[in-house]
Amino acid sequence: MNRDVTVRGRRMHACLLGSGDITIVLLSGSCVPLPQLEYRPLIKALAKDQFVVLLEKFGYGGSDSTPQPRDLQHVVAEYREALAALDVPLPVVLAAHSMGFLEALYWTQHYPGEVSALVGIDPATPDSYRDFDMEKAAKQITNLSQKPLLRKIAADRYCRQLFRQLEIPPERRSDLHAKALRNFAGPVWAAESEALADNLAAIAAAPLPRSIPTLFFLSNGKGTSMSSALWRQHGLDFLGNMVYGEYILLDLPHNLHQAAPDLIAKKIAAWLRPAAEQE
């Protein structure tokens, strides 16, 4: 089921699927024009055992854009308002891909009572950005955002690949393509990239939620800017700080949600169920 809710005067789009006593809120990685479409295989797989909510933050998917700052305080506040508008009961499991893990982590740091567990789907942990040129990445997105023709070429390429991969029928493609073109390297993406350093500082300033159960799925690093060993080590180092940290290594690229959605969903359900049965 698709629903739009009003958050701070703007429309935020959500996808809700499945049922059960466990709710998983799925947060996308950065620079994903169409999260509901790109994460659809994982949403369907997770919904076999749990109630799943995908929130498309402002500037993504079918949600409006926003001129508001893209610091984590604003982004997480918008997510929380959306859940309230959707009448989603708390606490929830936060499952986040890539840079979405920073949002999930900040959420857990500041509102621990709202989060029962953390799942990182090849998460970009804070330490992983020590080996990432944030300034260069921000300049690339900002430059692309100012070049309409290049944005269109990139969005066209993205849509062709995704439509073919997911076998999207022709009658749906026009609307989806328009959303992707609107979002791709838009002002929200540029603002997010520029806010990254400050967002990492905000996470570092708050204590880690060490007692929160945490499960990581770690890829072979392909699709990131790092070697497999370095990428995985950052994830393992983070889990070393957690009291209840577990991980699963997969010899698959960064977009695990597309490469192994059924496997990931099965492992998450098995990991969550014992905890739920003990309550």
Side-chain angles (χ1 to χ4, degrees):
M1 176 176 66
N2 294 314
R3 281 189 58 185
D4 289 336
V5 292
T6 300
V7 175
R8 305 193 174 192
R10 295 177 182 271
R11 178 173 51 89
M12 182 175 286
H13 184 73
C15 173
L16 303 89
L17 195 65
S19 61
D21 56 347
I22 297 176
T23 297
I24 296 179
V25 175
L26 184 59
L27 306 180
S28 81
S30 65
C31 302
V32 178
L34 302 170
Q36 182 181 338
L37 192 61
E38 185 158 326
Y39 292 89
R40 187 176 71 175
L42 181 58
I43 295 170
K44 288 185 174 181
L46 289 170
K48 294 176 183 177
D49 296 288
Q50 296 92 198
F51 178 48
V52 183
V53 180
L54 170 72
L55 297 174
E56 293 188 318
K57 57 186 172 180
F58 292 136
Y60 286 65
S63 298
D64 289 341
S65 185
T66 180
Q68 293 298 314
R70 291 299 83 195
D71 58 82
L72 290 173
Q73 182 178 358
H74 273 88
V75 173
V76 169
E78 291 160 1
Y79 281 146
R80 296 175 67 238
E81 289 182 28
L83 288 188
L86 292 165
D87 294 319
V88 174
L90 300 171
V92 298
V93 176
L94 292 180
H97 176 238
S98 195
M99 200 174 84
F101 184 71
L102 299 182
E103 299 166 351
L105 179 55
Y106 183 93
W107 194 334
T108 308
Q109 286 176 309
H110 292 271
Y111 308 97
E114 299 180 0
V115 183
S116 59
L118 278 174
V119 176
I121 303 168
D122 214 30
T125 61
D127 282 352
S128 68
Y129 289 94
R130 293 187 317 218
D131 301 291
F132 180 74
D133 192 335
M134 292 184 286
E135 184 176 351
K136 179 180 178 182
K139 286 182 179 179
Q140 288 175 336
I141 293 177
T142 300
N143 289 338
L144 184 57
S145 71
Q146 298 169 352
K147 299 176 180 178
L149 179 57
L150 291 182
R151 283 183 61 214
K152 183 179 185 307
I153 292 172
D156 289 350
R157 186 184 304 118
Y158 168 85
C159 286
R160 282 196 302 270
Q161 179 179 347
L162 196 60
F163 294 168
R164 182 172 59 252
Q165 177 183 339
L166 297 179
E167 299 180 348
I168 304 301
E171 61 270 19
R172 289 194 58 209
R173 295 184 179 186
S174 178
D175 178 61
L176 290 169
H177 181 272
K179 291 176 181 177
L181 180 59
R182 179 191 66 195
N183 297 332
F184 205 101
V188 170
W189 290 20
E192 279 185 346
S193 65
E194 292 167 0
L196 181 54
D198 288 341
N199 284 336
L200 290 168
I203 287 174
L208 281 178
R210 298 179 189 276
S211 62
I212 192 80
T214 305
L215 173 65
F216 278 6
F217 295 89
L218 299 174
S219 78
N220 57 19
K222 293 181 179 178
T224 74
S225 60
M226 300 170 210
S227 68
S228 174
L230 184 58
W231 176 255
R232 286 179 170 179
Q233 192 58 53
H234 285 309
L236 296 176
D237 287 346
F238 182 91
L239 289 176
N241 295 310
M242 308 302 281
V243 178
Y244 308 106
E246 300 181 37
Y247 64 90
I248 296 172
L249 301 179
L250 298 174
D251 189 16
L252 294 167
H254 182 54
N255 285 347
L256 295 177
H257 56 283
Q258 295 177 341
D262 293 324
L263 173 63
I264 290 172
K266 182 179 179 180
K267 295 292 186 181
I268 291 175
W271 181 71
L272 291 173
R273 189 52 55 188
E277 291 172 351
Q278 292 172 10
E279 293 179 355

